[in-house]
Amino acid sequence: MKAIVYRATGDPSVLELVDREVRDPGLGEVRVRIVVSAVNPTDWKSRRGARPGEPLPFAEVVPNQDGAGVVDAVGPGVEHLHVGDRVWLALAAYQRADGGTAQEFTVLPAERVFPLPENAGFDLGASLGVPAVTAHRALTIAEDGPRRLHPGALGGKVVLVAGGAGAVGHAAIQLAKWAGAVVITTVSGPAKAELVTAAGADHVINYRETHAAAEIRRIAPEGVDQIVEVAPAQNAELDLAVIRNRGSIAVYANNGGDQVTLDVRRHFSLNVRYQFVLLYTVGTAAVHAAAEDINAAIADGALPVGEAAGLPLHRVDLADTAAAHAAVEESIVGKVLIDVSAG
């Protein structure tokens, strides 16, 4: 089979197309023929490493956490998945040398493989994983909020999604709307405003053209219930200005800096909850709960992708995986997909 690997950290040029043997699944594993792979920021950050020359955990690594395809073989002990099942994957590359989706076949623990609803295509399946599960977690950590999502779960709540044009922001808008919330989102320009409107946001605020805190307070005089935050260093003052008493701020990225300064007394007075969200260590139970709710939302038609749904798709072939990584690293708007095999 064809696979993309890297043997050292670095820029996209470290990615190589190689031939590898297809292996059989072991106990509790399934083999999936990958149809579409997807690239997330976490994929290029893992490839680049924290510093030049950082050693890899394995001699050779296959990248990309997310993808979709068809179950090709099932190992002993797996009962809920069968050959021929259409599936989507999450955390495929985590702590595995050969699990990533940038290859024609991957062997994974069955707990990282989820049925793809009949009304969903492989592009949607590959676009789930990191963004959708992260968004689900961010929407289910509030002290006064639900632990699971379903229609009505966020009824009466106001959710602020920072940077709604990103993949996680897009999924957060869609899941929050499906669950009944009023969704406000912030963007940096009119093109992104069109995308988040297409995704279903009720109120769109261009923070470069208006006083964002005042506009959010106009929409939600009592403050917002939950914030899905991508840039805590930049938005700490805004978040504090608009969060309601006992509100929650879920931080899933460090865009704009690693250090956050918080006014302790003002946060005290509001009983604000901060929750940091990292998918790798969130726990299997949280991932599986998210997958069940995500599939329910898909069945309801609530998570479409593509430009008309607010998330443009950009695609390349497997041999051009380096270009896909470069595009995501350069902050392309939309989702970058890799066509691996025919559906």
Side-chain angles (χ1 to χ4, degrees), residues 26-313:
L27 180 67
E29 295 181 327
V30 297
R31 186 171 68 210
V32 178
R33 176 174 61 83
I34 301 297
V35 177
V36 180
S37 175
V39 184
N40 296 294
T42 189
D43 297 317
W44 70 256
K45 291 176 182 178
S46 296
R47 184 214 70 230
R48 186 170 285 278
R51 62 185 185 279
E54 180 184 22
L56 293 174
F58 307 101
E60 193 172 83
V61 176
V62 178
N64 297 3
Q65 299 290 350
D66 297 344
V70 180
V71 174
D72 177 73
V74 176
V78 178
E79 298 179 355
H80 68 289
L81 294 168
H82 307 88
V83 172
D85 286 352
R86 299 162 68 254
V87 294
W88 59 277
L89 316 177
L91 300 173
Y94 179 53
Q95 295 183 332
R96 296 178 74 84
D98 61 352
T101 62
Q103 57 185 333
E104 292 178 320
F105 294 89
T106 186
V107 175
L108 293 173
E111 65 184 16
R112 303 187 191 187
V113 181
F114 306 99
L116 184 62
E118 292 183 1
N119 62 327
F122 292 114
D123 287 357
L124 172 55
S127 301
L128 299 172
V130 169
V133 177
T134 298
H136 182 281
R137 176 65 174 173
L139 293 169
T140 54
I141 53 80
E143 180 179 0
D144 301 326
R147 291 293 176 265
R148 297 290 295 266
L149 296 182
H150 53 79
L154 291 173
K157 303 291 186 180
V158 179
V159 173
L160 171 62
V161 178
V168 175
H170 177 264
I173 291 169
Q174 291 183 322
L175 285 171
K177 285 300 299 176
W178 175 67
V182 172
V183 178
I184 305 169
T185 189
T186 54
V187 296
S188 59
K192 290 183 178 179
E194 291 182 7
L195 293 176
V196 298
T197 299
D202 297 291
H203 304 278
V204 181
I205 297 172
N206 184 333
Y207 59 80
R208 292 179 175 171
E209 294 182 349
T210 188
H211 189 287
E215 183 63 14
I216 292 168
R217 279 289 181 176
R218 184 190 67 78
I219 297 165
E222 301 301 317
V224 301
D225 298 276
Q226 296 177 229
I227 299 175
V228 180
E229 185 56 79
V230 67
Q234 293 176 330
N235 293 335
E237 278 298 315
L238 170 64
D239 293 345
L240 181 55
V242 302
I243 196 72
R244 71 157 175 84
N245 185 52
R246 293 164 60 93
S248 298
I249 302 168
V251 177
Y252 69 88
N254 60 344
N255 293 7
D258 292 332
Q259 302 299 318
V260 181
T261 300
L262 301 178
D263 185 319
V264 176
R265 288 184 180 274
R266 290 168 67 197
H267 283 88
F268 270 160
S269 68
L270 290 171
N271 287 277
V272 174
R273 169 182 291 197
Y274 263 87
Q275 172 75 53
F276 292 85
V277 176
L278 181 65
L279 199 56
Y280 299 122
T281 53
V282 75
T284 300
V287 174
H288 284 195
E292 290 179 8
D293 295 351
I294 288 164
N295 273 357
I298 292 171
D300 284 346
L303 291 178
V305 296
E307 187 159 6
L311 189 71
L313 302 180

